């Protein structure tokens, strides 16, 4: 019997009692590799149970519904808002008074002045012109069936080895399959629907989004959705276009209003393309979104499904296959459970190393899927969002979040995927120069705490979180670290002027504090934290901060070393050397902890989510158990007092910090907390954080930085190189008794592979891509090697050459 079909303006619906029921029975599938498989035995009921796919620009979230399939569609430049001048042109007039109040210890009065005259002009991130990353739309497929009965053997699998999701189930004696991927080579989302009997594929299809769209049928087999976002001024913002085309084998396709209907096809391939007319620092750079979408569609339509799939897999695997990572799971049967049940089992049974390996590989998958050269960098949610009003605008936060997105890039052999971040950094120079002038009367450029595709560099709308000028300095750390990993001198020549401009700003910002005559940045913050003054009042604006001094010292060192390598800027180099020597050192307080500010203020929130004053431990290189043991002990005590609870990205940050202290067991405890099941599973654990059923990080809500940060922390547990020495298995937890990793990268342009058993190194393979000498250490033994460019050596567990 053919089910009734509605071709109204809304989504297609199935009428009556033909809805299929899904028994949710636990299943085990030991045929799937546990460290590269995320799978479900039921359709997704919400966004954080769906399956993410992406090619860097286009994203999709597949829910896998049997009766009603919903696929959330994303395009990385679907941004509302527009370029604006949010600087206060007369702000710098108030800087001397702000500084004088800070020098007098009147932090509360200084902060009030900052709030009145030194924040952004206008509503800032809360305004329509700042904009928001938005969902592109939703694809709805409503299936028609001639049979009754239950659905059996449902399975939806994301294979991280090829970035293809496969769904299969049986109903009425028919096996139905869907397979989906998002291709970077062809710029298209591809979905194939098939069955093991002919004439079984029947469904209706619509495209929609919550607002500002029009969908029309373009011919009998194509839907076109177009619209224009709000720019915050006259409503005429970014234009977008999404095309949906059906290629069927057998059966019929027809258009009914704004919908398509497929009837009794043997197989259907669905192609989806999308584009915007965003004109900014990255992206398609097309002025006609529809023409770009149509061009991609026509090119993809000329190719067979198999050809599209093969090109996609080859492109994806050239990134993913650079690294492999395996840890023995705690229990082979439990490791083969559907992923949500596996997460729950790990929590109840004290952790599963195999789940950590899966999470690590998933982090690499997400970076490959959300960051490709030429595109925009992943935002707070990567490229995946289902809302118009994405949490925190889905923007780029510069006080840890966008930087954390790229923490795994270099060490996990995805160095070339950092290009979108570098494009963002370069794009902030021009607006940042105006901000530096208007607020600080300084040279160079600055970015504060938040930014967007429109070049926002102004302070945020509140002194408590938005006044920190550290964002540009932290961004530049990635430029220098890229050089340290790759030794790409061409890149360094490009990056040095950007770093120099940032260093010029901080150089102009330095003033002398009266007690020790150190040079400090003022006003300053320790991100989003505050302190208690001796009179009991609280403030967030300070005369310098440990975090700001660490970043400034790192940046000055990067510029000094760069100018020496490139043989340029001797005068500027000497100026930075002199100023670096006078920067506030990292101080240890009376309680033995690293001081967050220049004074040992009381902490209103001793368990604050940020641990910014330990930036010099990670991602910086200033604190080390080997070179600065006193500071390392103070950092340890700081972490102990701060505690192990926190939101998703905070847990990741703390895990990386414990790894840098060579405490693998404590780092593992933080990774386990990051892998706790989040509340959406019906289980809630104290402290926040954890993961959703699809392994998205639960900040909460979903933020992708926690995924990337934990991936980087796991890499730090296995390999470190921040101090010029390659440390093998520096923070291996007792629980990771046996494992293997290949392809991790060390500074100096080395690739490293490691095998261990019973907690001891068995072999290490070191490949040199640049021919630089290297020091290698393991368990107190250190050797120095010079490996020819392109050659590899293999060492045993005592670092003897094999």
């Amino acid at each position: 019997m053919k089910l009734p079909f509605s071709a109204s303006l809304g989504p297609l619906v199935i009428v009556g009692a033909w809805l299929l029921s899904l028994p949710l029975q636990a299943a085990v599938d030991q045929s799937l590799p546990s460290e590269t498989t995320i799978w479900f035995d039921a359709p997704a009921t919400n966004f954080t149970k769906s399956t993410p796919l992406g090619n860097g620009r286009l994203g999709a979230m597949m829910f896998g519904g049997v009766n009603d399939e919903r696929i959330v569609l994303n395009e990385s430049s679907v941004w509302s808002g527009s370029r604006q001048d949010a600087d206060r042109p007369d702000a710098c007039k108030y800087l001397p008074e702000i500084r004088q109040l800070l020098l007098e210890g009147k932090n509360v009065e200084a902060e009030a002045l900052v709030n009145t005259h030194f924040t952004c002009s206008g509503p800032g991130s809360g305004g329509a012109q700042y904009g928001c990353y938005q969902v592109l739309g939703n694809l709805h497929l409503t299936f028609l069936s001639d049979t009754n009965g239950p659905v059996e053997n449902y399975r939806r699998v994301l294979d991280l080895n090829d970035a293809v999701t496969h769904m299969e189930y049986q109903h009425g004696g028919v096996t139905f399959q869907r397979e989906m991927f998002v291709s970077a080579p062809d710029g298209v989302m591809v979905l194939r629907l098939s069955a093991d009997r002919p004439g079984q594929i029947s469904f209706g299809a619509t495209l929609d989004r919550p607002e500002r769209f029009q969908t029309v049928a373009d011919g009998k087999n194509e839907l076109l959705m177009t619209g224009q976002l709000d720019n915050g001024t006259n409503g005429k913002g970014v234009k977008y276009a999404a095309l949906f085309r059906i290629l069927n084998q057998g059966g019929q396709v027809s258009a009914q209003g704004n919908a398509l209907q497929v009837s009794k096809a043997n197989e259907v391939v669905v192609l989806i393309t999308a584009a915007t007319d965003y004109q900014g620092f990255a992206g398609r750079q097309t002025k006609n979104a529809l023409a770009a979408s149509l061009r991609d569609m026509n090119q993809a339509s000329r190719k067979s499904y198999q050809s599209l799939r093969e090109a996609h897999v080859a492109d994806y695997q050239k990134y993913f296959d650079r690294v492999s990572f395996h840890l023995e799971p705690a229990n082979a049967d439990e490791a083969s459970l559907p992923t949500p049940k596996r997460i729950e089992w790990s929590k109840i049974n004290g952790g599963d190393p195999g789940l950590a390996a899966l999470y690590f590989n998933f982090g690499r998958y997400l970076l490959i899927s959300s960051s490709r050269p030429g595109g925009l960098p992943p935002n707070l949610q990567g490229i995946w969002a289902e809302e118009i009003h994405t949490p925190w605008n889905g923007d780029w936060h510069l006080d840890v979040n966008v930087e954390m997105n790229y923490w795994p890039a270099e060490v996990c052999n995805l160095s070339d995927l950092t290009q979108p971040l570098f494009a963002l950094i370069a794009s902030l120079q021009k607006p940042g120069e105006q901000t530096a002038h208007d607020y600080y009367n300084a040279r160079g450029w600055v970015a504060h705490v938040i930014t967007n595709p429109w070049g926002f560099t102004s302070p945020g709308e509140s002194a408590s979180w938005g006044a920190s000028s550290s964002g540009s300095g932290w961004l530049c750390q990635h430029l220098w670290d890229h050089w340290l990993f790759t030794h790409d001198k061409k890149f360094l020549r490009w990056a040095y002027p950007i770093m120099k401009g940032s260093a010029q700003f901080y150089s102009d910002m330095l003033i002398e504090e009266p007690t020790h005559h150190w040079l400090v940045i003022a006003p300053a913050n320790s991100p989003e934290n505050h302190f208690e003054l001796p009179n009991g009042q609280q403030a967030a604006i300070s005369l310098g901060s440990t975090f700001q001094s660490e970043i400034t010292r790192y940046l000055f060192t990067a510029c000094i070393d760069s100018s020496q390598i490139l043989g340029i800027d001797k005068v500027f180099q000497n100026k930075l050397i002199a100023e670096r020597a006078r920067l506030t050192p990292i101080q240890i307080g009376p309680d033995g902890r690293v001081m967050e500010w220049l004074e040992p203020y009381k902490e209103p929130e001793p368990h604050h989510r940020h641990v910014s004053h330990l930036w010099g431990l990670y991602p910086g290189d200033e604190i080390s158990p080997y070179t600065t043991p006193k500071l390392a002990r103070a950092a340890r005590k700081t972490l102990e007092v701060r505690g192990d609870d926190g939101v998703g990205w905070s847990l990741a940050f703390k895990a990386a910090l414990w790894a840098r202290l060579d405490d693998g067991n404590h780092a593992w405890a933080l990774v386990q907390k990051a892998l706790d099941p989040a509340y959406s599973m019906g289980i809630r654990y104290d402290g926040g954080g954890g993961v959703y059923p699809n392994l998205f990080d639960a900040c909460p809500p979903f933020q992708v930085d926690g995924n990337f940060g934990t991936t980087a922390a796991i890499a730090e547990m296995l390999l470190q190189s921040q101090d010029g020495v390659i440390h093998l298995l520096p923070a291996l937890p007792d629980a990771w008794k046996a494992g293997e990793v290949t392809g991790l990268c060390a500074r100096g342009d080395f690739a490293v592979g490691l095998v261990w058993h019973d907690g001891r190194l068995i072999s290490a393979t070191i490949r040199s891509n640049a021919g630089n000498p290297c020091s290698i250490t393991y368990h107190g033994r250190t050797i120095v090697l010079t490996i020819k460019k392109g050659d590899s050596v293999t060492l045993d567990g005592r670092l003897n050459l094999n």
Side-chain angles (χ1 to χ4, degrees):
M1 179 182 294
K2 186 176 181 179
L3 295 184
F5 172 75
S6 172
S8 65
L9 293 177
L12 301 176
V13 296
I14 292 179
V15 182
W18 295 96
L19 294 176
L20 307 177
S21 61
L22 277 171
L24 301 184
Q25 300 174 352
V28 172
D29 191 337
Q30 295 186 349
S31 67
L32 303 173
S34 64
E35 69 270 18
T36 54
T37 303
I38 300 171
W39 76 284
F40 303 84
D41 59 359
T45 55
N46 58 52
F47 185 78
T48 54
K49 295 180 181 178
S50 59
T51 301
L53 300 162
N55 69 357
R57 183 178 65 85
L58 299 174
M61 298 293 295
M62 181 179 180
F63 280 55
V66 171
N67 300 291
D68 298 284
E69 172 69 275
R70 175 193 176 200
I71 300 176
V72 177
L73 308 177
N74 293 111
E75 205 276 355
S76 63
S77 60
V78 177
W79 261 86
S80 62
S82 57
R83 193 170 295 277
Q84 62 175 318
D85 184 359
D87 290 340
R88 296 178 185 262
D90 62 345
C92 63
K93 293 192 304 185
Y94 299 93
L95 182 60
E97 186 178 354
I98 292 169
R99 285 174 165 170
Q100 185 59 42
L101 288 170
L102 290 172
L103 289 167
E104 295 172 3
K106 298 178 180 179
N107 298 70
V108 174
E109 292 83 353
E111 186 165 328
L113 202 59
V114 169
N115 273 318
T116 304
H117 297 290
F118 226 70
T119 55
C120 60
S121 174
S125 62
Q129 198 169 1
Y130 182 88
C132 183
Y133 180 63
Q134 299 185 359
V135 63
L136 169 65
N138 295 282
L139 169 63
H140 301 276
L141 304 179
T142 304
F143 290 87
L144 315 175
S145 175
D146 292 332
T147 58
N148 293 310
V151 170
E152 299 176 318
N153 300 318
Y154 179 97
R155 187 171 69 170
R156 173 167 45 98
V157 178
L158 172 61
D159 187 348
L160 302 182
N161 286 306
D162 59 15
V164 176
T165 192
H166 180 87
M167 173 184 157
E168 181 177 306
Y169 62 92
Q170 282 85 44
H171 176 235
V174 180
T175 298
F176 293 88
Q177 294 185 342
R178 297 175 208 165
E179 192 170 75
M180 187 172 185
F181 57 89
V182 182
S183 168
D186 292 293
V188 64
M189 303 180 235
V190 185
L191 170 67
R192 184 178 69 174
L193 305 99
S194 60
D196 66 353
R197 294 184 188 177
Q200 297 296 316
I201 308 299
S202 298
F203 62 87
T206 60
L207 278 175
D208 65 21
R209 74 189 304 268
E211 65 176 27
R212 291 176 172 263
F213 78 99
Q214 180 183 21
T215 300
V216 296
D218 187 10
K220 69 175 184 178
N221 71 330
E222 192 166 280
L223 295 176
L224 168 64
M225 183 175 71
T226 57
Q228 187 169 22
L229 307 183
D230 181 13
N231 64 355
T233 56
N234 60 7
K236 297 180 179 180
V238 167
K239 294 179 181 179
Y240 66 86
L243 277 171
F244 168 90
R245 182 176 292 179
I246 289 176
L247 306 175
N248 59 300
Q249 294 182 14
Q252 294 182 341
V253 182
S254 60
Q256 296 188 14
N258 67 339
L260 299 181
Q261 182 175 0
V262 176
S263 178
K264 298 187 180 301
N266 302 327
E267 178 179 301
V268 170
V269 173
V270 170
L271 302 179
I272 307 160
T273 60
T276 76
D277 67 351
Y278 167 72
Q279 300 287 302
F281 68 90
R284 294 291 294 271
Q285 303 296 324
T286 178
K287 294 183 179 180
N288 190 323
L290 176 56
S293 297
L294 184 60
R295 183 168 57 250
D296 290 341
M297 178 64 75
N298 289 337
Q299 291 175 353
S301 296
R302 298 187 190 103
K303 299 182 179 181
S304 68
Y305 174 80
Q306 192 61 30
S307 175
L308 291 169
R309 192 184 193 281
E310 289 175 355
H312 156 71
V313 171
D315 172 79
Y316 169 78
Q317 288 181 343
K318 75 182 181 184
Y319 298 107
F320 190 78
D321 288 353
R322 294 175 185 176
V323 170
S324 65
F325 181 41
H326 174 75
L327 290 173
E328 289 297 326
N331 182 294
D333 286 339
E334 303 300 339
S336 300
L337 285 171
T339 301
K341 296 179 175 66
R342 184 179 182 186
I343 296 169
E344 294 175 6
W345 184 94
S346 176
K347 170 65 180 179
I348 294 168
N349 292 276
D352 175 12
L355 181 61
L358 173 62
Y359 198 62
F360 173 87
N361 287 324
F362 183 55
R364 296 193 298 120
Y365 166 84
L366 292 175
L367 189 60
I368 298 167
S369 301
S370 63
S371 182
R372 293 294 187 96
L376 277 68
N379 58 53
L380 286 170
Q381 294 196 184
I383 55 172
W384 301 280
E386 63 174 340
E387 306 100 334
I388 294 296
H389 302 290
T390 306
W392 293 287
N393 298 314
D395 68 2
W396 296 296
H397 278 39
L398 309 183
D399 58 351
V400 69
N401 309 92
V402 73
E403 292 92 349
M404 186 178 286
N405 284 359
Y406 283 92
W407 281 358
E410 303 290 351
V411 68
C412 291
N413 215 333
L414 296 172
S415 184
D416 39 351
L417 299 188
T418 56
Q419 189 275 336
L421 176 66
F422 299 157
L424 172 65
I425 296 170
S427 76
L428 298 178
Q429 292 177 96
K430 185 175 181 179
E433 287 173 357
Q434 178 180 322
T435 302
H437 174 269
D438 289 353
Y439 284 82
Y440 308 100
N441 196 25
R443 299 171 300 159
W445 67 279
V446 64
H448 287 80
V449 179
I450 53 174
T451 194
N452 58 17
W454 314 115
F456 189 95
T457 56
S458 309
E461 51 267 31
S462 172
S464 64
W465 61 268
S468 175
S469 61
S470 59
S472 40
W474 194 338
L475 288 172
C476 285
Q477 187 249 345
H478 284 263
L479 299 174
W480 179 241
D481 214 31
H482 184 77
W483 154 258
L484 292 176
F485 271 95
T486 65
H487 280 213
D488 182 347
K489 190 170 284 190
K490 180 180 179 182
F491 170 82
L492 187 62
R493 291 191 186 97
W494 174 84
Y496 174 70
I498 302 174
M499 295 190 292
K500 178 182 178 181
S502 180
Q504 285 176 321
F505 167 77
Y506 293 116
S507 177
D508 286 0
M509 278 286 290
L510 293 172
I511 65 171
E512 184 178 274
E513 57 84 28
T515 304
H516 306 281
H517 306 291
W518 292 325
L519 295 180
V520 299
I521 301 291
N525 297 71
S526 190
E528 301 179 25
N529 204 357
H530 52 294
F531 52 90
E532 183 178 312
L533 293 161
N535 63 6
Q537 292 182 296
Q538 294 183 11
I541 297 295
S542 61
L543 183 69
S545 70
T546 299
F547 167 70
Q548 183 66 72
S549 293
E550 289 170 331
I551 283 184
T552 305
R553 189 160 30 246
Y554 186 99
L555 177 62
F556 283 10
T557 300
C559 287
I560 292 165
D561 291 352
S562 296
S563 64
Q564 291 172 348
I565 294 166
L566 299 174
I568 57 176
D569 269 350
K570 184 67 174 179
V571 173
F572 185 61
Q573 176 191 137
N574 290 334
K575 184 176 189 295
L576 294 185
I577 290 172
E579 291 175 342
R580 181 181 62 179
R582 296 187 60 198
L583 293 174
T584 306
I586 300 175
Q587 300 181 81
I588 300 175
D591 59 3
R593 293 184 290 155
V594 172
M595 290 170 54
E596 193 160 357
W597 294 274
L598 267 67
E599 303 293 334
Y601 297 121
K602 290 183 180 179
E603 298 171 295
E605 291 185 70
H607 306 302
H608 195 271
R609 61 193 175 277
H610 279 272
V611 280
S612 303
H613 49 315
L614 298 186
W615 190 95
L617 175 61
Y618 184 90
D621 56 9
E622 194 171 349
I623 302 174
S624 165
Y626 308 102
T627 58
T628 60
K630 288 184 179 180
L631 287 178
R633 288 192 292 270
R636 172 181 288 271
K637 189 168 184 180
T638 302
L639 285 171
E640 290 170 346
V641 174
R642 209 65 146 197
D644 288 346
D645 288 335
V647 296
W649 58 261
S650 179
L651 296 176
F653 201 163
K654 292 173 183 177
L657 291 166
W658 280 110
R660 281 284 175 92
L661 292 173
D662 289 358
D663 193 330
N665 288 332
H666 209 135
W668 171 228
L670 268 299
V671 171
Q672 287 177 270
K673 289 182 75 70
L675 289 170
D676 278 353
Y679 59 83
S680 68
M681 295 186 193
I683 301 174
R684 183 60 195 256
Y685 294 98
D686 293 337
V691 291
Y692 292 112
N694 64 358
L695 288 183
F696 270 171
D697 169 72
C699 181
F702 160 53
Q703 280 186 204
V704 78
D705 43 28
N707 289 98
F708 293 136
T710 303
T711 298
I714 291 171
E716 289 294 318
M717 296 161 74
L718 301 171
L719 182 72
Q720 296 177 24
S721 60
Q722 67 277 4
D723 58 358
V725 178
I726 298 175
H727 298 258
L728 308 181
L729 303 179
L732 188 69
D734 294 339
W736 296 6
K737 296 186 182 301
E740 180 176 1
V741 65
T742 64
L744 293 182
C745 291
R747 292 166 182 84
D749 204 4
F750 298 96
V752 180
L754 303 168
V755 179
W756 66 96
H757 187 70
D758 290 333
R760 302 289 296 182
L761 180 68
I762 300 299
S763 68
T765 301
I766 317 293
R767 174 184 171 84
S768 174
N769 296 316
N772 297 310
C774 61
S775 296
I776 302 167
T777 188
Y778 173 71
H779 270 213
R781 176 173 167 78
T782 302
I783 63 170
V784 178
L785 295 174
T786 299
I787 308 170
K788 291 182 180 180
K789 181 178 179 179
D791 284 355
S792 301
V793 299
T794 300
L795 309 173
D796 64 18
R798 293 183 56 81
L799 302 188
N800 296 312
L801 287 169
N802 281 347

